[in-house]
């Protein structure tokens, strides 16, 4: 099947690189976003997020006329939904952005179109998309009504790219594609094969939804194991980085790295979608979430104990992002830790985050943003919260005579 025009709803960390990937294959892409600022930035050939290589791709796509952004839905042959699926305060998935995108697409749908949900979603969400579309377009037929002969095809194809490596992984990774019918999955595969070089593996929509949640829960559970080990090791006076390195010499053991907690908008969120769907059964998955969510509090406790040895300590917190070498502060355990330290007035807090220009609002009044050299000169206590490249190359002699809390093993690993 030939797709002349593709429309992508949500021009964020996933939608924008995906738009650029299609445009790079000389497919006309209409990007739709609710933010006028995002639309204007992209139409100038610029980007509003930090992701290696993406700026060049978007610039080329826009200047060559293959990518255009707008706030309003326009007709296309395929629609991709890549909007956020956050969770509410009670850890329940919030599908309101997906519903809004579906209802925006409905009026411009025509017979033969494909709609793909890319957003990470609870099991059953793709069926809901099809329902919302069907409610708004009674003149068209949908897979849940007539099966294979439907006018509109609906599928789920979860994104699986790693922030920081999106441009590469988008093309190289395998894609799991789940259709509401087999034909829906096949048509979606035709679409993704425009740029995906990895394998496109077909299944049903519910399995594809659960597959994405499973991948991130696997990681969450394994990071929780590492985090729990780090607390046990500290109690028993064992160096956890050495411990894991040695245990991993076993051919069937592969322990992940402990840290200050799990951040980002995926691994700290997706397991809750499983817990919400099967609360009685998802015991280990829930406990892993609790262990990881508790880790920032544990780190604050460690810094507090160290700070109690000083009168009015200068505490340098290295890193705010949710992981190394990105600018993404969402759900970042480092932010949680710095906020908590600031609220306790433990001393003067310096923050170094090489990937941002200004502090987030929650911190702006309470801490000072500075560079690594300045922080290391002035600090009594150095708390390494993110293992950014810049921090991994710190000359360890600069840490002599300072109290160090290294939550990532960055000052240990390579030396
Ligand atoms: N982390 C640790 N220890 C580790 C590995 C990670 O503490 O050994 C922490 C990181 O510091 C970070 C968090 O976990 O705070 C998550 O980082 P990550 O690099 O593991 O994953 P994300 O959230 O950047 O991206 C994940 C990826 N999923 C998997 O690797 C299974 C990515 O492929 C998904 O596309 C993405 O979630 C997503 O969108 O769901």
């Amino acid at each position: 099947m030939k797709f002349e025009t593709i429309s992508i709803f949500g021009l964020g960390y996933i939608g924008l690189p995906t738009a650029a990937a299609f445009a790079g294959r000389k497919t006309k892409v209409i990007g739709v976003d609710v933010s006028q600022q995002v639309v204007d930035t992209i139409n100038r050939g610029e980007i509003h997020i930090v992701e290696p290589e993406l700026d060049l791709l978007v610039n080329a796509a826009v200047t060559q006329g293959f990518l255009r952004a707008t706030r309003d839905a326009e007709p296309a042959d395929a629609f991709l939904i890549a909007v956020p699926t956050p969770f509410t305060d009670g850890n329940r998935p919030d599908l309101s952005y997906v519903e809004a995108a579906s209802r925006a697409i409905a009026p411009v749908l025509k017979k033969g179109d494909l709609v793909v949900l890319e957003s990470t979603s609870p099991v059953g969400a793709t069926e809901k998309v099809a329902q919302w579309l069907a409610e708004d377009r009674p003149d068209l037929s949908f897979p849940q009504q007539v099966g294979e002969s439907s006018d509109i095809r609906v599928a789920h194809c979860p994104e699986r790219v790693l922030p920081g490596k999106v441009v590469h992984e988008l093309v190289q990774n395998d894609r799991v594609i789940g259709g509401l019918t087999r034909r829906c999955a096949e048509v979606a595969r035709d679409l993704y094969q425009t740029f995906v070089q990895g394998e496109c593996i077909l299944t049903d929509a519910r399995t594809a939804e659960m597959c994405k949640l499973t991948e991130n829960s696997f990681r969450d559970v394994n990071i929780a194991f590492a985090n729990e080990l780090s607390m046990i090791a500290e109690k028993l006076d064992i160096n956890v980085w050495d411990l894991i390195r040695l245990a991993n010499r076993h051919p069937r053991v592969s322990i992940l790295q402990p840290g200050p907690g799990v951040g980002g908008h995926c691994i700290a969120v997706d397991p809750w979608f499983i817990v919400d769907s099967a609360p009685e059964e998802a015991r280990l998955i829930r406990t892993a979430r609790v262990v990881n969510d508790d880790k920032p509090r544990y780190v604050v406790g460690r810094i507090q104990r160290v700070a109690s040895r000083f009168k009015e300590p200068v505490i340098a917190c290295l890193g705010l992002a949710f992981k190394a070498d990105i600018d993404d502060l969402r759900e970042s355990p480092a932010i949680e830790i710095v906020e908590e330290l600031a609220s306790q007035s433990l001393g003067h807090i310096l923050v170094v985050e090489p990937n941002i220009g200004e502090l987030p609002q929650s911190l702006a009044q309470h801490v000072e943003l500075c560079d690594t050299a300045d922080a290391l000169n002035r600090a009594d206590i150095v708390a390494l919260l993110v293992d950014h490249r810049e921090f991994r190359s710190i000359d360890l002699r600069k840490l002599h005579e300072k109290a160090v809390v290294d939550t990532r093993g960055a000052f240990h690993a390579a030396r």
Side-chain angles (χ1 to χ4, degrees):
M1 183 161 169
K2 182 87 185 93
F3 300 93
E4 303 279 343
T5 307
I6 297 167
S7 182
I8 301 183
F9 278 66
L11 295 172
Y13 284 86
I14 299 303
L16 185 56
T18 305
F22 277 113
R25 293 297 175 142
K26 310 217 176 303
T27 306
K28 201 175 138 209
V29 181
I30 303 166
V32 184
D33 201 284
V34 290
S35 159
Q36 187 63 48
Q37 200 193 339
V38 168
V39 166
D40 292 343
T41 306
I42 293 167
N43 284 335
R44 282 198 306 271
E46 295 166 12
I47 62 175
H48 59 292
I49 53 179
V50 170
E51 180 60 42
E53 298 173 49
L54 184 62
D55 49 349
L56 294 178
L57 292 182
V58 169
N59 191 269
V62 173
T63 43
Q64 290 167 17
F66 288 107
L67 171 61
R68 177 171 55 83
T70 161
R71 286 185 60 187
D72 303 311
E74 293 177 23
D77 303 317
F79 296 86
L80 263 58
I81 301 175
V83 297
T85 42
F87 59 59
T88 59
D89 285 345
N91 291 330
R92 312 211 59 191
D94 171 6
L95 287 180
S96 57
Y97 298 104
V98 175
E99 178 172 359
S102 306
R103 296 206 189 271
I105 291 168
V108 296
L109 271 184
K110 61 183 185 318
K111 192 174 171 178
D113 284 355
L114 166 71
V115 180
V116 183
L117 176 62
E118 276 224 12
S119 313
T120 303
S121 300
V123 174
T126 311
E127 290 157 8
K128 284 201 176 130
V129 168
Q131 258 171 34
W132 289 319
L133 296 172
E135 272 169 31
D136 289 1
R137 289 301 298 271
D139 55 318
L140 293 168
S141 69
F142 289 82
Q144 70 274 27
Q145 301 161 338
V146 297
E148 293 292 21
S149 62
S150 62
D151 292 334
I152 305 297
R153 324 261 186 211
V154 184
H156 180 54
C157 181
E159 56 81 10
R160 308 158 93 192
V161 287
L162 196 70
K165 288 194 182 161
V166 170
V167 170
H168 171 81
E169 288 207 356
L170 207 53
V171 174
Q172 299 300 333
N173 287 4
D174 293 343
R175 296 297 289 249
V176 172
I177 302 177
L180 285 191
T181 65
R182 180 76 189 174
R183 185 77 192 118
C184 293
E186 286 167 357
V187 173
R189 176 178 55 196
D190 291 347
L191 174 69
Y192 282 96
Q193 279 178 340
T194 312
F195 71 87
V196 170
Q197 286 170 19
E199 202 179 325
C200 292
I201 306 141
L202 306 193
T203 181
D204 58 82
R206 293 177 81 84
T207 307
E209 287 159 347
M210 187 62 182
C211 187
K212 169 66 194 257
L213 303 180
T214 300
E215 291 161 12
N216 282 347
S217 297
F218 172 88
R219 213 149 153 86
D220 196 46
V221 167
N222 282 281
I223 297 169
F225 180 72
N227 277 335
E228 189 163 294
L229 269 184
S230 74
M231 296 183 276
I232 296 169
E234 199 191 358
K235 187 167 193 173
L236 303 182
D237 198 21
I238 291 166
N239 182 304
V240 72
W241 318 105
D242 283 338
L243 172 70
I244 291 175
R245 184 172 49 80
L246 296 173
N248 281 348
R249 296 298 286 264
H250 186 289
R252 285 173 297 285
V253 174
S254 181
I255 302 168
L256 294 180
Q257 296 299 302
V262 170
H265 31 101
C266 311
I267 294 183
V269 177
D270 300 358
W272 288 121
F273 291 6
I274 300 182
V275 174
D276 184 58
S277 300
E280 299 278 311
E281 295 78 8
R283 291 184 296 166
L284 180 62
I285 294 172
R286 183 205 313 268
T287 303
R289 274 287 65 245
V290 173
V291 169
N292 286 334
D293 269 356
D294 233 29
K295 193 72 196 291
R297 197 185 48 81
Y298 174 85
V299 173
V300 169
R302 273 183 72 192
I303 298 172
Q304 268 172 337
R305 282 197 298 282
V306 176
S308 65
R309 307 205 299 256
F310 296 82
K311 199 151 169 267
E312 270 186 34
V314 176
I315 307 173
C317 296
L318 306 188
L320 281 184
F322 85 83
K323 65 176 187 177
D325 304 325
I326 58 169
D327 72 326
D328 194 340
L329 306 184
R330 288 180 290 177
E331 315 282 333
S332 172
I335 298 236
E336 213 180 312
I337 290 166
V338 176
E339 279 174 359
E340 186 58 29
L341 291 175
S343 78
Q344 296 187 4
S345 315
L346 283 183
H348 184 67
I349 299 176
L350 308 175
V351 168
V352 186
E353 179 42 80
N355 301 304
I356 60 168
E358 58 186 84
L359 286 167
Q361 254 184 355
S362 67
L363 292 176
Q365 307 296 321
H366 312 286
V367 307
E368 183 187 337
L369 188 65
C370 64
D371 64 24
T372 307
D374 192 18
L376 293 182
N377 275 336
R378 292 161 62 195
D380 302 303
I381 302 171
V382 176
L384 185 290
L385 303 178
V386 188
D387 47 344
H388 287 314
R389 203 171 297 122
E390 177 164 331
F391 305 146
R392 289 196 302 265
S393 60
I394 287 174
D395 180 351
L396 292 190
R397 285 171 299 190
K398 298 222 167 85
L399 297 175
H400 279 335
E401 296 177 21
K402 306 213 182 276
V404 175
V405 176
D406 179 0
T407 69
R408 301 266 185 180
F411 300 143
H412 178 81
R415 330 216 167 180

